[in-house]
Amino acid sequence: MAGSLRSRNRAVKEPTIAAVEIDEPTSELEIYSKEVLNALIKDNLPPTPNNFSLYFDRLLEDKSESLRKQIHSMLELEESNDDENTIMLEQSLKRGFGSIKNILGVTANLYKNMALMTKILEKKKQELQDNTEIQAAISVASSLESDVSKLNSILKKQSTQMRDFYDETAKIIKGVENETIFDNRYGVYNKRYLMTKIEQEMELIGEFKHKSSLIMIELSRELKESVDNDKAITLMTRTIARLLLKTSRRSDIVAHYGNGVFAMVLKHTDIDSAKKASERLCELVSNSNFFLADREIQLKISIGVTDISTLYTVEEIVVSAMDGIEKAYSDPKIDFAVSLRE
């Protein structure tokens, strides 16, 4: 029986997969996609979706303007970004917390007004007691005072409960803020997200041996000193943030490091390419003007450039890029400078 079973198994015909003939790419997009894949294989990188996206953006910079526009229009139709959804959630959460604070403020004012009303009633009652001819009015005032006192006691208790709810909500919001990735003030990623991404990029560099760079950007100190207007400086800094977002690739990380200093993680970008990117940024910003009253101000930035290396900590890499900014300030003829650790 076992033998017959074996013979039947041998007789079963294995399913075959028909060979599919793949046509050569014909459209510009197909040709370009194949070029991206070949570049990944040449650089010995696995063609994962993330790596393909990085190379897709990087190689696109050297293509014709018509091809770039065609591809960007396609990407806009299909783009779905989880980080953007997270950012929208964070903004909604913070707006909700602001509404809770407003409710607590209104409740506190109501309690203060009730306390004030109680004092007024006590004063009026004392005035009535000084007049012996209106004992009936005194009785009415005493009854009203008792009712107001009860209402005040209830309101005080509810106000305390609401404050406890507020404190509990504040702790929850604080916990969420410690995990946020978005900087509300400038509309870019925050420092926490930046440091995490640099660390992740260092791990990828250690594994796949590619090159990536970090640039730090700030509004020119000379420009800030000449303006000497905090509100105007804030608006100019926000303009810089928008320009950074406008010129960055989808794979780049644009973040606010702190005190008006921004950072860009340029993945799969060596120092020479990072210098070219910095030059383009400086040119883009210098062509943008800011109007303060009747004064037209030409915007200017200073940039520090460094490489992301597995030999150093995240903090050391950031400090190196910040040193690049100081190096740029030391020479009035340049707006960006490279700083590499020895």
Side-chain angles (χ1 to χ4, degrees):
M1 186 173 179
S4 63
L5 180 59
R6 283 197 296 270
S7 67
R8 282 201 303 269
N9 285 343
R10 284 195 296 268
V12 175
K13 186 178 181 180
E14 291 293 331
T16 58
I17 300 175
V20 179
E21 184 177 346
I22 301 175
D23 296 332
E24 283 296 315
T26 55
S27 70
E28 286 188 90
L29 180 58
E30 291 174 349
I31 294 171
Y32 176 63
S33 297
K34 185 176 181 181
E35 181 182 337
V36 173
L37 186 59
N38 290 336
L40 278 170
I41 296 172
K42 180 182 178 182
D43 291 347
N44 198 29
L45 286 172
T48 62
N50 187 48
N51 285 339
F52 189 88
S53 177
L54 288 170
Y55 267 57
F56 193 94
D57 288 338
R58 195 185 77 176
L59 298 179
L60 190 60
E61 295 176 357
D62 299 326
K63 299 302 177 182
S64 66
E65 185 177 356
S66 61
L67 179 60
R68 290 201 304 270
K69 286 182 177 179
Q70 176 189 350
I71 292 178
H72 283 312
S73 63
M74 293 180 183
L75 294 177
E76 287 175 0
L77 293 175
E78 65 176 23
E79 196 164 78
S80 176
N81 195 320
D82 290 338
D83 283 346
E84 290 180 0
N85 294 334
T86 303
I87 288 168
M88 291 176 64
L89 179 61
E90 288 179 13
Q91 291 175 320
S92 299
L93 188 61
K94 289 178 180 179
R95 284 197 298 269
F97 185 60
S99 298
I100 294 174
K101 289 178 67 176
N102 292 335
I103 292 172
L104 187 65
V106 171
T107 305
N109 289 332
L110 182 60
Y111 174 71
K112 290 178 182 178
N113 291 334
M114 290 298 298
L116 178 62
M117 180 60 69
T118 301
K119 291 181 179 180
I120 292 174
L121 284 173
E122 290 176 354
K123 182 179 179 181
K124 295 300 181 182
K125 179 183 176 183
Q126 185 61 46
E127 291 176 357
L128 290 173
Q129 286 176 342
D130 294 339
N131 191 336
T132 57
E133 297 180 357
I134 48 176
Q135 292 300 320
I138 294 175
S139 177
V140 172
S142 297
S143 177
L144 181 59
E145 181 186 20
S146 176
D147 293 338
V148 171
S149 178
K150 290 178 182 178
L151 178 60
N152 192 36
S153 177
I154 294 171
L155 186 60
K156 183 178 181 180
K157 182 179 179 181
Q158 292 177 339
S159 179
T160 302
Q161 290 176 337
M162 184 168 287
R163 186 176 291 108
D164 291 339
F165 290 145
Y166 172 80
D167 290 340
E168 184 179 350
T169 305
K171 290 179 182 178
I172 295 172
I173 296 296
K174 188 65 177 177
V176 172
E177 286 182 341
N178 291 336
E179 299 298 323
T180 57
I181 64 173
F182 187 66
D183 187 295
N184 274 321
R185 188 176 190 185
Y186 295 110
V188 296
Y189 291 114
N190 59 19
K191 179 180 177 180
R192 175 184 170 277
Y193 186 81
L194 169 69
M195 305 301 269
T196 300
K197 285 299 179 181
I198 295 176
E199 187 173 4
Q200 291 176 355
E201 187 61 20
M202 290 168 63
E203 293 175 0
L204 291 171
I205 290 171
E207 184 172 356
F208 299 112
K209 313 304 179 187
H210 62 273
K211 296 182 181 296
S212 293
S213 301
L214 174 71
I215 63 174
M216 305 290 283
I217 309 106
E218 73 171 9
L219 188 66
S220 170
R221 295 171 193 170
E222 295 178 358
L223 179 57
K224 287 189 281 190
E225 289 173 1
S226 67
V227 172
D228 194 24
N229 183 316
D230 291 341
K231 186 176 181 180
I233 291 172
T234 298
L235 292 174
M236 285 190 287
T237 306
R238 285 177 178 169
T239 301
I240 298 301
R242 288 196 295 269
L243 290 173
L244 293 178
L245 287 173
K246 179 180 179 181
T247 191
S248 63
R249 302 171 301 186
R250 290 182 306 152
S251 57
D252 296 336
I253 305 296
V254 181
H256 179 226
Y257 179 73
N259 298 322
V261 178
F262 299 96
M264 287 182 68
V265 178
L266 306 178
K267 299 182 179 182
H268 292 266
T269 304
D270 60 19
I271 289 296
D272 287 337
S273 297
K275 287 166 63 177
K276 293 177 182 178
S278 299
E279 187 175 2
R280 288 197 300 270
L281 275 175
C282 291
E283 185 177 353
L284 175 67
V285 171
S286 65
N287 290 332
S288 303
N289 295 333
F290 183 87
F291 292 91
L292 180 61
D294 57 346
R295 180 184 173 190
E296 183 177 359
I297 301 171
Q298 184 181 32
L299 296 179
K300 184 180 179 182
I301 55 176
S302 293
I303 299 178
V305 183
T306 194
D307 61 336
I308 298 177
S309 170
T310 57
L311 300 176
Y312 304 94
T313 65
V314 174
E315 290 75 13
E316 287 173 332
I317 292 171
V318 171
V319 168
S320 180
M322 295 293 288
D323 288 342
I325 293 180
E326 299 301 327
K327 191 175 178 181
Y329 280 124
S330 66
D331 187 348
K333 296 181 181 179
I334 60 175
D335 295 326
F336 65 90
V338 176
S339 175
L340 299 176
R341 298 155 306 282
E342 296 180 358

